[in-house]
């Protein structure tokens, strides 16, 4: 609970007790007022903390043991703990997906895998997923469909996956681009091999999958020496 809100809360409750406060400085009423304020604030803070904890656990789908591990972890390690737990839960989902398709994450009666074309990407594509995307497994997520065409899925924050991604970048940094709209990002059309100006050929693409804040953090984690590119709608309109 933020301090400004707490002050407004105290102010509103104090206003309720103004008639008692002005009762000739009666110490009994004053003690009742202070005691009520303390109990109200403690109850409200406890309720807010409990609500946030329940929402966090529901979002991450973590068991009680994982929640205890998060509480004991230092702040910089909590992201890795969440990522590891989300990936473990994802592996369990792949083994027993229930009523969902393990590939497109849709309900089996709405599975779209059969309708996808059988293609293989010419470039090497690596999808770096945030643990929230893995944990929620929403059907609206489209980046995971790239795995159908040969892309590799990695979860940011998992130690083995981070090492794997760094290895991929180190093997061919000159031919790697990150799909992210940074300030120095170039249009994808400028990287096409048929361009008149000589450019370094692109051989592998890193796709960041997550909310905007999560993608900003993942992009900052990747070396700035790797080129960034952006694919705008104007590119597609010109190519038609």
């Amino acid at each position: 609970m933020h301090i400004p809100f707490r002050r407004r809360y105290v102010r509103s409750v104090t206003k309720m007790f103004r008639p008692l406060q002005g009762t000739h400085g009666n110490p009994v009423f004053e003690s009742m007022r202070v005691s009520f304020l303390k109990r109200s604030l403690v109850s409200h803070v406890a309720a807010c903390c409990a609500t946030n904890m329940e929402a966090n656990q529901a979002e991450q789908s973590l068991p009680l043991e994982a929640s205890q591990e998060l509480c004991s972890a230092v702040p910089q390690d909590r992201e890795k703990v969440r990522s590891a737990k989300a990936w473990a839960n994802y592996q369990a989902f792949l083994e027993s997906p229930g009523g969902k398709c393990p590939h497109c994450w849709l309900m089996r009666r709405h599975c779209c895998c059969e309708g996808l074309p059988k293609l293989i990407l010419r470039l090497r594509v690596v999808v770096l997923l945030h643990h929230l995307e893995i944990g929620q497994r929403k059907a609206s997520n489209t980046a995971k469909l790239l795995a159908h065409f040969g892309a590799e899925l990695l979860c940011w924050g998992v130690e083995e996956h981070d090492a794997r991604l760094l290895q991929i970048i180190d093997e061919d940094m000159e031919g790697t681009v990150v799909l992210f709209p940074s300030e120095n990002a170039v249009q994808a059309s400028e990287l096409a091999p048929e361009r008149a100006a000589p450019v370094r050929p692109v051989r592998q693409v890193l796709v960041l999958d997550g909310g905007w804040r999560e993608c900003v953090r993942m992009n900052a984690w990747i070396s700035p020496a790797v080129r960034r590119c952006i694919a705008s709608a104007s590119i597609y309109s010109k190519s038609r």
Side-chain angles (χ1 to χ4, degrees):
M1 185 173 69
H2 297 292
I3 293 179
F5 177 80
R6 179 164 54 194
R7 288 175 180 170
R8 292 197 300 271
Y9 184 80
V10 172
R11 218 176 283 126
S12 61
V13 177
T14 305
K15 186 177 180 181
M16 296 168 50
F17 278 83
R18 278 180 182 171
L20 297 179
Q21 187 179 7
T23 313
H24 304 291
N26 192 315
V28 177
F29 289 119
E30 186 67 18
S31 177
M32 290 174 56
R33 183 181 71 85
V34 174
S35 178
F36 178 82
L37 285 174
K38 290 182 178 179
R39 290 198 305 269
S40 300
L41 285 175
V42 170
S43 300
H44 191 77
V45 172
C48 290
C49 293
T51 302
N52 291 336
M53 183 177 296
E54 292 175 0
N56 212 12
Q57 290 178 352
E59 184 179 12
Q60 302 297 332
S61 302
L62 296 179
L64 180 60
E65 293 79 5
S67 301
Q68 294 175 346
E69 188 175 354
L70 287 175
C71 293
S72 61
V74 294
Q76 57 267 28
D77 292 337
R78 291 183 180 180
E79 193 80 27
K80 295 183 179 180
V81 174
R82 291 191 178 102
S83 298
K85 294 298 180 181
W87 185 254
N89 290 340
Y90 177 64
Q91 296 303 309
F93 164 74
L94 294 180
E95 295 178 2
S96 180
K100 281 189 172 184
C101 172
H103 305 294
C104 64
W105 301 352
L106 292 170
M107 300 301 293
R108 291 189 181 275
R109 61 178 178 273
H110 302 306
C111 177
C112 65
C113 295
E114 291 296 330
L116 294 176
K118 304 298 182 180
L119 299 175
I120 299 298
L121 298 172
R122 289 183 296 176
L123 300 176
R124 182 181 190 178
V125 177
V126 179
V127 181
L128 187 62
L129 297 128
H130 192 268
H131 67 80
L132 290 179
E133 302 297 323
I134 294 261
Q136 295 173 355
R137 292 190 292 278
K138 291 184 177 180
S140 57
N141 182 291
T142 54
K144 90 278 186 177
L145 296 177
L146 290 172
H148 176 82
F149 304 103
E152 183 177 357
L153 302 183
L154 298 177
C155 181
W156 183 59
V158 178
E159 186 175 355
E160 296 81 2
H161 293 196
D162 290 346
R164 169 67 176 162
L165 182 64
L166 294 177
Q167 178 185 2
I168 292 174
I169 295 175
D170 291 339
E171 288 177 353
D172 189 9
M173 183 175 292
E174 291 291 325
T176 304
V177 295
V178 179
L179 188 62
F180 184 80
S182 61
E183 294 181 357
N184 58 346
V186 299
Q187 292 286 352
S189 59
E190 299 180 9
L191 301 175
E194 60 270 12
R195 297 281 297 184
V199 294
R200 291 173 292 173
V202 177
R203 289 177 289 270
Q204 53 189 15
V205 181
L206 305 183
V207 180
L208 308 182
D209 185 31
W212 173 248
R213 290 187 300 177
E214 290 77 22
C215 286
V216 168
R217 294 174 60 197
M218 290 190 291
N219 176 69
W221 179 78
I222 299 174
S223 171
V226 182
R227 289 177 292 176
R228 267 63 172 177
C229 76
I230 180 173
S232 62
S234 60
I235 296 177
Y236 302 104
S237 62
K238 292 179 181 179
S239 61
R240 291 179 180 177

